Amino acid sequence: NQINIYPNPTTDVIFMDGLPEHTSYQLIDSNGSTLVQGTATGSGLDLSNFSSGIYFLQLQNESKISFKKIFKN
């Protein structure tokens, strides 16, 4: 299954398609601090309250952990 994170770069909300059921996420800043975490749903993840920069989205389910780089304008 191909995971699609869009739009990237973003100014406010990102969407996640192709995620397996029961996928959790963590949004991590460049210092390694977790900013927000939860269970991925069909709704978007609002980044509008965060500063411009590079973030990492950690996605985890029963079988694997993956990281996606997110660019916030």
Side-chain angles (χ1 to χ4, degrees):
N1 234 4
Q2 177 72 21
I3 296 173
N4 188 22
I5 308 294
Y6 65 94
N8 192 11
T10 187
T11 55
D12 50 14
V13 178
I14 58 169
F15 298 94
M16 299 172 269
D17 285 345
L19 296 177
E21 284 188 27
H22 310 296
T23 299
S24 62
Y25 68 85
Q26 289 185 22
L27 185 68
I28 302 165
D29 68 13
S30 58
N31 296 319
S33 300
T34 298
L35 303 175
V36 64
Q37 61 187 11
T39 301
T41 63
S43 61
L45 179 58
D46 187 359
L47 305 181
S48 61
N49 292 327
F50 299 115
S51 302
S52 297
I54 298 172
Y55 297 88
F56 299 93
L57 186 64
Q58 176 184 314
L59 302 167
Q60 180 175 359
N61 60 36
E62 296 88 16
S63 61
K64 74 177 196 176
I65 297 174
S66 59
F67 289 88
K68 302 289 183 181
K69 192 181 287 188
I70 306 294
F71 298 94
K72 166 81 165 60
N73 291 334

